C-alpha cells in the first residue's frame, strides 16, 4: 500500500510542477501557475507585450499615467477611450483603472483577484512587495538591454506562446531591414549619418534619450549616435542643454519625440532660438495617444513612421 501511495504523491507533485513556472526577472524570482486568466498590467508597455501575444482580452486591470478623470466612469475606462490611439490596437475587455505606476490602488487590484501582475520598473520603484502579496508579479527594468524582448519571451513561456513571441521579434527585425534599405536607396545616410532623439517637454526642458524610447529603432535602421552621455537617469536618458544641442553637426538628424498630452513641448521648442537653428535637420515624430514608449508593436510603428518622415524630409 505504501508504494502506490508514494507513487501517487510523486505523480501529483510532478503534475503540479508541470503546471507552474519559475522566472527570474528584474525585481526578483517568481513562481506562478502557467496560463493565468486574470491579468493586471501596470502600464501600457506591459499591455503591448500581451497584445502582441494575443492575450489582451485577459487584462482585468490597467494602470496608466495618461488617463484623466474624464476617461474613467465607475472605475473603468470609457468604451470610447478604448477605441482611441494605441488602445484601439488592443482587444481590451472593459478593464478597471487601477491608478498609475507611482500610486496604484492596491485595494482595487486586490478586488480584481488577478492571477498575474506585470509592470515596468526602475531603481527606487515602490510597491513590489505589496503587489506580490496580491498575485505573482513580474517586473522589467526599462533601461535594461533588450528589456522588452526579455519580457515578451518570459510571458510567452507563461502562456505557452514561445513560437508567437519569436515571430513577433522577427517581424520587428524584418521591418527595420526593409526600412533601412529604403533609407539607403534614398541617400539618407549620406545626408544624416547620425541621429539624436530629443524629447521636448512643455515648460522648456529637453531630454536626450540614449538607451530606450525610439533610439534603438533608429540604430536598427542604420544611424549612429549623434551624442553620447556619460550618465543617464534610470537608464533612459538625461536632460540636454541648449549648448549641447547647438553643437550638433549638420549631418546629425534631430528627431523630436515629445511626450504625450499636456507634456508635449514640440511646438514651443521649434519657436526657440535652438529650435530655429535645428529646424532644417529636424523631424517631429508624434506617438499615438496612450502609446507605450517601447515594445514590439511600437517598434514597428516607429520604424515605419520615422522612415516616412525622413524620406519626406529628403524631398524638401
Amino acid at each position: 500500500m505504501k508504494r502506490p501511495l508514494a507513487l501517487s504523491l510523486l505523480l501529483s507533485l510532478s503534475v503540479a510542477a508541470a503546471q507552474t513556472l519559475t522566472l527570474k526577472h528584474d525585481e526578483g524570482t517568481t513562481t506562478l501557475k502557467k496560463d493565468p486568466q486574470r491579468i493586471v498590467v501596470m502600464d501600457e508597455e506591459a499591455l503591448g507585450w500581451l497584445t502582441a501575444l494575443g492575450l489582451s482580452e485577459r487584462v482585468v486591470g490597467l494602470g496608466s499615467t495618461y488617463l484623466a478623470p474624464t476617461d474613467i466612469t465607475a472605475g473603468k475606462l470609457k468604451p470610447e477611450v478604448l477605441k482611441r490611439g494605441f488602445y484601439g490596437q488592443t482587444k481590451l475587455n472593459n478593464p478597471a483603472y487601477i491608478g498609475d505606476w507611482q500610486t496604484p490602488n492596491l485595494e482595487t487590484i486586490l478586488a480584481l483577484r488577478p492571477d498575474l501582475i506585470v509592470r515596468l520598473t526602475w531603481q527606487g520603484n515602490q510597491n513590489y512587495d505589496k503587489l506580490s502579496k496580491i498575485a505573482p508579479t513580474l517586473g522589467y527594468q526599462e533601461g535594461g538591454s533588450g528589456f522588452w524582448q526579455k519580457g515578451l519571451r518570459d510571458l510567452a513561456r507563461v502562456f505557452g506562446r514561445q513560437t508567437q513571441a519569436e515571430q513577433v521579434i522577427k517581424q520587428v527585425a524584418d521591418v527595420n531591414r526593409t526600412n533601412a534599405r529604403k533609407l539607403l536607396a534614398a541617400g539618407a545616410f549620406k545626408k544624416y549619418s547620425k541621429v539624436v532623439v530629443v524629447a521636448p517637454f512643455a515648460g522648456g526642458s529637453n531630454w536626450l534619450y540614449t538607451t530606450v524610447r525610439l533610439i534603438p529603432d533608429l540604430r536598427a535602421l542604420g544611424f549612429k549616435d549623434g551624442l553620447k552621455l556619460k550618465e543617464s537617469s534610470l537608464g533612459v536618458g538625461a536632460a540636454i542643454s541648449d549648448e549641447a544641442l547647438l553643437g550638433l553637426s549638420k549631418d546629425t538628424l534631430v528627431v523630436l519625440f515629445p511626450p504625450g498630452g499636456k507634456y508635449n513641448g514640440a511646438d514651443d521648442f521649434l519657436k526657440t532660438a535652438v529650435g530655429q537653428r535645428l529646424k532644417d535637420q529636424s523631424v517631429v515624430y508624434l506617438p499615438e495617444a496612450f502609446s507605450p514608449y517601447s515594445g514590439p508593436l511600437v517598434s514597428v510603428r516607429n520604424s515605419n513612421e520615422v522612415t516616412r518622415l525622413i524620406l519626406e524630409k529628403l524631398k524638401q
Side-chain angles (χ1 to χ4, degrees), residues 121-245:
T121 191
W122 59 92
Q123 186 177 2
N125 195 9
Q126 304 294 314
N127 297 307
Y128 175 73
D129 292 342
K130 294 176 181 178
L131 292 170
S132 295
K133 290 179 180 178
I134 297 174
T137 300
L138 304 176
Y140 297 92
Q141 185 175 334
E142 184 183 11
S145 176
F147 88 100
W148 71 254
Q149 290 90 342
K150 164 68 172 170
L152 186 73
R153 285 178 168 132
D154 279 358
L155 289 172
R157 290 177 61 197
V158 173
F159 294 96
R161 302 200 178 191
Q162 293 95 322
T163 299
Q164 187 169 343
E166 296 308 317
Q167 290 172 344
V168 168
I169 292 170
K170 181 179 181 299
Q171 180 191 15
V172 174
D174 289 345
V175 168
N176 281 328
R177 277 192 292 269
T178 297
N179 286 327
R181 287 194 291 268
K182 292 179 181 178
L183 292 170
L184 181 63
F189 303 115
K190 291 181 179 179
K191 187 169 185 178
Y192 303 115
S193 60
K194 296 175 288 187
V195 70
V196 293
V197 176
V198 178
F201 282 78
S205 64
N206 300 308
W207 271 66
L208 183 75
Y209 291 143
T210 57
T211 306
V212 291
R213 304 187 179 185
L214 185 59
I215 189 66
D217 300 308
L218 289 164
R219 289 172 182 151
L221 288 173
F223 291 100
K224 298 178 181 178
D225 289 357
L227 277 177
K228 292 186 178 181
L229 300 178
K230 293 182 180 180
E231 297 182 2
S232 64
S233 178
L234 304 178
V236 173
I240 185 74
S241 67
D242 288 351
E243 290 76 15
L245 291 173

Side-chain angles (χ1 to χ4, degrees), residues 4-298:
L5 181 62
L7 181 59
S8 177
L9 179 59
L10 286 172
L11 288 173
S12 296
L13 291 173
S14 178
V15 170
Q19 294 174 344
T20 62
L21 181 68
T22 299
L23 293 174
K24 185 176 181 181
H25 53 96
D26 290 333
E27 295 193 279
T29 300
T30 298
T31 298
L32 67 159
K33 291 183 179 180
K34 294 180 181 180
D35 203 30
Q37 299 297 306
R38 299 179 61 82
I39 310 166
V40 165
V41 292
M42 305 299 294
D43 41 66
E44 281 81 7
E45 271 77 7
L47 172 61
W49 303 345
L50 290 166
T51 300
L53 294 173
L55 296 163
S56 56
E57 290 179 315
R58 300 190 191 187
V59 173
V60 295
L62 169 64
S64 177
T65 58
Y66 292 129
L67 296 171
T70 53
D71 297 321
I72 311 295
T73 182
K76 294 182 177 290
L77 279 69
K78 292 181 177 179
E80 59 267 28
V81 174
L82 295 177
K83 297 177 182 178
R84 289 167 46 198
F86 181 76
Y87 293 160
Q89 297 186 49
T90 69
K91 294 182 179 180
L92 286 168
N93 187 19
N94 201 25
Y97 174 59
I98 55 89
D100 63 43
W101 39 259
Q102 288 183 309
T103 55
N105 189 319
L106 298 173
E107 291 183 358
T108 298
I109 297 173
L110 179 63
L112 291 172
R113 298 178 289 106
D115 305 313
L116 174 65
I117 300 171
V118 188
R119 72 173 190 169
L120 260 63
T121 191
W122 59 92
Q123 186 177 2
N125 195 9
Q126 304 294 314
N127 297 307
Y128 175 73
D129 292 342
K130 294 176 181 178
L131 292 170
S132 295
K133 290 179 180 178
I134 297 174
T137 300
L138 304 176
Y140 297 92
Q141 185 175 334
E142 184 183 11
S145 176
F147 88 100
W148 71 254
Q149 290 90 342
K150 164 68 172 170
L152 186 73
R153 285 178 168 132
D154 279 358
L155 289 172
R157 290 177 61 197
V158 173
F159 294 96
R161 302 200 178 191
Q162 293 95 322
T163 299
Q164 187 169 343
E166 296 308 317
Q167 290 172 344
V168 168
I169 292 170
K170 181 179 181 299
Q171 180 191 15
V172 174
D174 289 345
V175 168
N176 281 328
R177 277 192 292 269
T178 297
N179 286 327
R181 287 194 291 268
K182 292 179 181 178
L183 292 170
L184 181 63
F189 303 115
K190 291 181 179 179
K191 187 169 185 178
Y192 303 115
S193 60
K194 296 175 288 187
V195 70
V196 293
V197 176
V198 178
F201 282 78
S205 64
N206 300 308
W207 271 66
L208 183 75
Y209 291 143
T210 57
T211 306
V212 291
R213 304 187 179 185
L214 185 59
I215 189 66
D217 300 308
L218 289 164
R219 289 172 182 151
L221 288 173
F223 291 100
K224 298 178 181 178
D225 289 357
L227 277 177
K228 292 186 178 181
L229 300 178
K230 293 182 180 180
E231 297 182 2
S232 64
S233 178
L234 304 178
V236 173
I240 185 74
S241 67
D242 288 351
E243 290 76 15
L245 291 173
L246 287 170
L248 292 173
S249 59
K250 292 290 186 180
D251 65 342
T252 300
L253 177 69
V254 179
V255 180
L256 298 176
F257 183 44
K262 62 182 180 181
Y263 303 106
N264 184 342
D267 289 342
D268 290 338
F269 173 82
L270 289 171
K271 295 175 184 176
T272 67
V274 178
Q276 287 293 299
R277 155 68 175 76
L278 296 174
K279 68 176 183 178
D280 290 338
Q281 64 195 89
S282 299
V283 295
V284 180
Y285 174 52
L286 297 176
E288 291 181 292
F290 312 121
S291 176
Y293 277 112
S294 54
L297 302 180
V298 178

